[in-house]
Every structure is written in C-alpha cells, then in structure tokens.
Amino acid sequence: MLYREAGQFKTSYTADQQLFPIRQDRIGVLVLLAIAFLGVPLFASDYWFSAILIPFLIFSLAALGLNILTGYAGQLSLGSAAFMAVGAYAAYNFQLRIEGIPILVSFACGGLCAALVGVLFGLPSLRIKGFYLAVATLAAQFFIVWCLTKFPWLSNNSSSGVISTQQLIILGHELKTPLEKYLLVLAIVVVLALAAKNLVRSATGRAWMAVRDMDVAASVIGIKLLPTKLLAFAISSFYCGVAGALYAFCYLGSVEPDGFSLDMSFKILFMIIIGGVGSIMGSFLGAAFILLLPIFLDVALPFLAGLFGLPFSSATVSHIQILLFGALIMFFLIVEPHGLARLWQIGKEKLRLWPFPH
Amino acid sequence: MNFFFEVLIGGLLSGVMYALVALGFVMIYKASGVFNFAQGAMVYLAALAVVGCMEMGAPLWLAVILAFAIMTLFGIATEKFVLRKLVNQPPIALFMATIGLAFFIEGLAPLLFGSQPRALDLGIVDEPIAWVLDNWNMVISKFDLVAAAVASLLVATLALFFQYTRVGRALRAVADDHQAALSIGIPLQHIWAIVWGVAGFVALVAGMMWGARNGVQFALTFTALKALPVLILGGFTSVPGAIVGGLIIGASEKLAEIYIPPVLQDLFGGSFGGIEGWFPYVLALLFLLVRPEGLFGEKHIDRV
C-alpha cells in the first residue's frame, strides 16, 4: 500500500497478535465498515439492496463457509448448496414450531442443524480423500434436496416443499424494507467474517492448514485427524447454514428445495476459486465477481451484438455466460491459482515500493 | 419373482449405459491421473455434433466421422491449452479445472449446434422383444440389448488396444509411472493427446446411445453424475471396475426405486419416488467406508 508499518513498534504480545497489526489497516477496515453501515444506505436504492447487495453478502458468507472447508482444511465439497438448504429449512421449522423464538436464535439453530448434517456427511472424510470425497459430498447434495422435497413435515405440508418464510421480527420491530434487511445481513456477515478471520489463525486454523498440506504428516506431528476434519465440516456447514437461512428469510422470502441445486454448489465453488482459495477476503471478492459478471454480460453482450449487427437472443447470452464462467475458471487456475485475493496482495506489495521499486 | 427379474435385468442393462460413460472417465484417469469431470459435457457435445452434422445434410456415417474428428480436435486442444499448463498442480486443481471445462463445453456446444432438444435416430427401435414377452412375460427392450452389445464390443476393443498395440503399451506405461515412461522415451504429450482422443471416441459412442434413447438435449450432461458413483464403486483405475460398478449401480438403483418407496410410505405416508437420484451415491458412500479404493482400484499408499 501507500503506507508502511515503519514506526509502529509492538511492545506486548497482545499488540503483536492483533487481527490487524498495522494501524492503517485498522483504520481502513473501520472506514470500510462505516461505508457499508452508514454510507451505502444513504445512496443505494431498493433495487441495489434487494438484487445486488443482499445476495452478494449472503453468497460471500456461503463462500466463506466453503473456503474454511476447502481452502483451509483442504476437503473439497460439492454439497454447499445442500447445507444452505438445511439451514434455511431448519430455521423455518424453528420459527414455525417453537412459539416466540427470536429470529436470530432460529438462524443460529439453523446453522447448528446444518453443522450436524455436515458432520454426518464429513464422517467418510477420514477414510477417503480427494475426488472420492468430492463425489461423496455429492451424496449430501442429492440426498438432502430429495429429503426436503419428499418429507412433507419439513416444509409444513406445502406442495413440492416450497416454504414461505415468516416475518423478521427483532426486539418487537418488524424488518420490512430492503434497507433493514440489508443491515441485518451485513451485521451477521461482519460478525461471522471476523470470527472466521480469528479462527483461521488460531491453533484450530493452523491444524486445518497442516491437514490440508498433508494429512499423514499432520497426524505424525500429533494432530488428531478425525476431530480436526469434522470440526472443519461442522464450522463450514454452520456458515453455509446461516447463509441459507438468510437466503430464505432476507433475500427470496420463499424457497423450494430444488432452488438449492448442484449448480448453486458449483457457483459457490467458483466463487472461492476465482476469489482465492484459502483467503477470507477472497470469498468476498469471488462472490462479487461471480454475481456481477452475469449482470455485466446481460448489459454488455446485447450492446456488443448491436455494434456488430449480430442477432442475439437471451438464450445465446446465457450460453455465452456459461462458456465464460468455464473459461474464467480454467484461466484463473492456470494463471493465478490463488485468485483475486492473491492479485490484491501482489498489488499491495508493488505499491509498497512504488514509485521507486529498486 | 418374474417382476423382480424383469427389474433386475432392466437395471443391469441400464447399468451398461452408465458403464459406457464411466469408461471415458477411467481412460483419462488411468493415463494422466486427471479426474475428468467434463466427460458428461463431452458426451453432450459429441451427441450434438452428430445431430448438428446430420441437420446440415450429412448421412449418419459421415456425421459420426465428423463428430469423431471434432471430439479428437477438442481433446487435443484441451490437453494443449489447459492440462499441459497445469502439470505439477495438485490433482484437486486439475479436477476443478475440468469442472470449468465442463461449463465451457456446456456453453459452447449449444452455441455451435443449437440448444433445442432433438431426436437421434440410429435405426434401432426401443420396444420390448416379443419373444421374451411371450415366453417369460418380461419386458426387455431391444435397444438396451443393443446398447449392452455395443458396450461389450467397446470394452473388448479397448482391452485389445491396450494389450496388443504399441500405443496401448505406451499408454499402460504412462499410467504406471509418468517419469519412468518419459525416461525410456515415451512422448508423454502425444500419449495424452491420444488418450483424450480415445476418451472423445468413448464419449461419442455413449452420446449416440444415450441420445438415441432420451433425445439429444442438455440433460445428457447429467450422465456424468450417473457415472460418478459407478466409478467410486468400481475404482477409478479399472476398466472392468467400470463395467461391474455400472452393473451393480444400475441393478441396485432400479431395485431400490421399486422396493424402497413402499416401505417408506408405510412408515411416513406420502410418496417417495425419485430414489434413483441419490441411491447410487449413498450406496457408493457406504461402500467407500469399507473399501476406500473401490472394488478394483489400486490401493493408495501415502508417504510423508
């Protein structure tokens, strides 16, 4: 960056181990939070809140969850959407069946249910790894969506499992406008993101990274594989579950099991590949990229087609979108396997020396 | 009992169709250690290419040859522009790259050949064989039998190709150990190009069989999802494993579809169709807990 850490001496361990050790970083984060909480509400319209900002935050949270599992603990999962579904349906059922339960508590309970299911499907991870595990998590994806469709109790006997979420009431105040929902989602995401940032530099986080880099070696140096891997599954699924609950309650308002499809799992996986595997910030960058690209293409492609006088249907646009997604994934894996987060880091290092790099 | 056998045989025959797709996975995994998630998309591309060429007026045989050429070119391009650049990356990165490749193909194929569902007529009718129906009162499709014959022919050809040709021997050497193969002068990159060509051929055969059965449409890409549990069960590295796994999965999912929902219905009420969608996966998952490397897979030894 344009600033250095020069002159900031740490005189205690607490000071040395802060989340953001450099003062300018701390100020930067605070400014960012201030913009998100105070600045954005002043300028953004309802469309922005409900179509871009809220899904962005929710998918960032889901990507963060997958990043904990895949990026830090090294266990590839293709079932993140299913865990989101568990969170959404569990939160709905807690609201429905327990009289007067606060909405935030049922979100947390939804996350815990997802964590439980995650642990269940994470159990095979001790025996199998790599592709075998990735395929095994597909079992979670198909099985959970099927269960939600077929067991009427889970969706309160609605046809084909569609649920309409209850009102969002916090401390007697009902959240109705997109702005209020945005603030709620933002607050939850900020808290969970800070928790994740803390978690991955703790002993647990280091154990995950050791397992990721080589699990046999990790177990040789005394890391217990089963609890470490299962904890990664649990926490990752908790994040996905909360994201799913927010997706249902704050974004769509009414969801069906088939909405949490394999495609959505892939989308979340793409977010962390493009954003940066093993990076908290990368989850946010990736989510922004994957969500904004289709919007950008929807606008840009017809414009380009008009420029060259080609006939363009909406089907063509969606095919080009899929094609570009695929191409971008391959491009990022080849050129920058650590994604946008790494690009940001390189930029920062370059700027440290700028304008005199030698 | 008759009904049971009918379901069982129907399942086994559809298992052959799964094995057909799974073979493509095994080919590439054996030779280059890449788990090619895009195989399903390649099946789609191949079927679309055949139909697309026929729409432009080519007869079936010419369309098949053209489609084979397209698949080979595509395979070589994939090897050259994607996989070669990812050498020495962890296998998981390669796997994710093939997911990207799958999306790429799923976008590209309809752009080239159009996305509307079409029928592919190979001249084989999908109707029950009258003789079996009369004598044993079982419904067994002629088409399924042809598919089984094609699959066995394909496996036999591949086995002979692997066992008795110069290229086949080189392929086996590469599968055993990349570095040793390189050191005795086997050109690794040519071999990989050939493997992708062969995988394209397998995808073409699978695409034509599946396309003739269900119509050429986007759903063909889901054949890959059917083939994954087959692979897990049979082991990623074994051609016979793909066949046996396919048969087991095909038979068990059809039987499960018939016999499990009534049990669930008694317990919970409601309807419980569509078990086919997840049953193979759960079966494969349970199987993995007992034998992590699959039925015929090689035992994996980790060294620190």
Side-chain angles (χ1 to χ4, degrees), chain A residues 210-271:
Chain A
V211 170
R212 170 192 67 192
D213 291 341
M214 186 164 203
D215 56 356
V216 180
S219 73
V220 168
I221 59 168
I223 293 169
K224 291 197 182 77
L225 287 186
L226 183 65
T228 312
K229 283 182 176 175
L230 287 188
L231 189 64
F233 267 100
I235 293 180
S236 154
S237 311
F238 177 82
Y239 275 69
C240 286
V242 173
L246 291 175
Y247 184 78
F249 279 80
C250 298
Y251 177 41
L252 289 183
S254 136
V255 288
E256 54 171 345
D258 289 334
F260 297 95
S261 60
L262 184 60
D263 259 358
M264 193 156 146
S265 292
F266 278 139
K267 212 163 148 189
I268 299 170
L269 180 67
F270 288 175
M271 284 174 191

Side-chain angles (χ1 to χ4, degrees), chain B residues 89-290:
Chain B
Q89 295 283 347
I92 275 302
L94 283 162
F95 174 61
M96 293 195 277
T98 60
I99 296 181
L101 182 65
F103 271 69
F104 183 79
I105 300 175
E106 283 163 20
L108 182 72
L111 280 181
L112 292 178
F113 301 107
S115 61
Q116 70 280 20
R118 276 160 293 186
L120 173 63
D121 186 15
L122 296 178
I124 315 163
V125 273
D126 196 357
E127 60 183 27
I129 304 169
W131 182 72
V132 182
L133 193 63
D134 294 341
N135 287 348
W136 281 295
N137 195 23
M138 281 195 268
V139 179
I140 287 169
S141 163
K142 203 189 260 177
F143 184 89
D144 283 340
L145 275 186
V146 174
V150 168
S152 354
L153 197 68
L154 192 66
V155 172
T157 321
L158 286 179
L160 288 177
F161 173 71
F162 265 95
Q163 211 64 35
Y164 293 109
T165 63
R166 205 179 146 77
V167 178
R169 235 176 303 144
L171 279 172
R172 275 186 292 147
V174 172
D176 250 11
D177 188 334
H178 289 181
Q179 286 211 312
L182 262 181
S183 69
I184 55 165
I186 294 171
L188 205 52
Q189 277 148 7
H190 290 184
I191 292 296
W192 280 351
I194 291 172
V195 168
W196 277 85
V198 176
F201 175 68
V202 175
L204 176 64
V205 175
M208 281 167 59
M209 298 316 285
W210 277 94
R213 156 114 295 177
N214 296 342
V216 178
Q217 51 183 328
F218 187 74
L220 274 183
T221 55
F222 301 139
T223 52
L225 296 177
K226 283 283 183 197
L228 289 177
V230 171
L231 287 167
I232 288 208
L233 208 66
F236 282 137
T237 46
S238 154
V239 173
I243 305 292
V244 176
L247 293 178
I248 294 176
I249 292 285
S252 61
E253 81 168 21
K254 291 287 182 288
L255 289 175
E257 181 68 47
I258 300 290
Y259 289 105
I260 292 183
V263 179
L264 287 175
Q265 223 155 345
D266 285 348
L267 286 175
F268 304 104
S271 66
F272 288 94
I275 282 185
E276 281 178 288
W278 57 264
F279 186 79
Y281 281 92
V282 175
L283 184 72
L285 189 61
L286 293 177
F287 188 78
L288 276 182
L289 290 176
V290 186

Side-chain angles (χ1 to χ4, degrees), chain A residues 127 129 136 146 150 214 326, chain B residues 100 273 278 285 289-290 302-303:
Chain A
R127 291 277 281 166
K129 45 192 142 187
W146 180 84
K150 298 290 175 185
M214 186 164 203
Chain B
W278 57 264
L285 189 61
L289 290 176
V290 186
D302 267 329
R303 292 195 176 82

Side-chain angles (χ1 to χ4, degrees), chain A residues 5-200:
Chain A
E5 59 271 49
Q8 299 181 28
F9 302 110
K10 307 287 188 276
T11 49
S12 67
Y13 284 117
T14 329
D16 197 37
Q17 292 178 335
Q18 287 177 80
L19 205 47
F20 300 101
I22 302 170
R23 189 187 307 131
Q24 287 91 335
D25 277 352
R26 274 199 301 279
I27 297 170
V29 169
L30 285 178
V31 169
L32 203 63
L33 286 180
I35 292 175
F37 275 106
L38 304 171
V40 172
L42 286 180
F43 299 108
S45 63
D46 276 2
Y47 167 78
W48 267 80
F49 284 126
S50 48
I52 294 173
L53 289 169
I54 292 179
F56 158 67
L57 288 170
I58 291 171
F59 276 104
S60 303
L61 191 61
L64 191 58
L66 183 61
N67 222 335
I68 288 174
L69 186 63
T70 304
Y72 287 98
Q75 315 293 311
L76 184 58
S77 160
L78 298 176
S80 358
F83 297 129
M84 285 177 74
V86 172
Y89 277 77
Y92 168 78
N93 276 307
F94 277 109
Q95 276 290 301
L96 183 75
R97 291 169 207 284
I98 299 176
E99 199 67 40
I101 186 172
I103 192 89
L104 288 179
V105 175
S106 60
F107 284 175
C109 290
L112 288 177
C113 285
L116 255 172
V117 177
V119 167
L120 192 67
F121 281 96
L123 274 174
S125 70
L126 193 70
R127 291 277 281 166
I128 55 180
K129 45 192 142 187
F131 322 122
Y132 285 93
L133 183 66
V135 177
T137 56
L138 279 178
Q141 172 72 47
F142 294 125
F143 184 64
I144 290 172
V145 170
W146 180 84
C147 276
L148 293 175
T149 320
K150 298 290 175 185
F151 286 90
W153 186 84
L154 294 171
S155 51
N156 201 20
N157 298 318
S158 80
S159 62
S160 70
V162 182
I163 54 169
S164 297
T165 54
Q166 296 89 346
Q167 297 155 323
L168 287 162
I169 298 172
I170 290 183
L171 299 175
H173 176 69
E174 190 189 347
L175 306 183
K176 267 189 272 182
T177 64
L179 171 64
E180 290 167 322
K181 288 179 183 171
Y182 163 77
L183 288 176
L184 173 71
V185 176
L186 182 65
I188 293 175
V189 171
V190 166
V191 170
L192 286 179
L194 284 178
K197 192 141 179 78
N198 257 311
L199 191 67
V200 295

Side-chain angles (χ1 to χ4, degrees), chain A residues 274-295:
Chain A
I274 288 187
V277 176
S279 150
I280 300 290
M281 191 181 64
S283 317
F284 288 87
L285 295 177
F289 190 90
I290 295 283
L291 287 178
L292 290 180
L293 184 69
I295 299 175

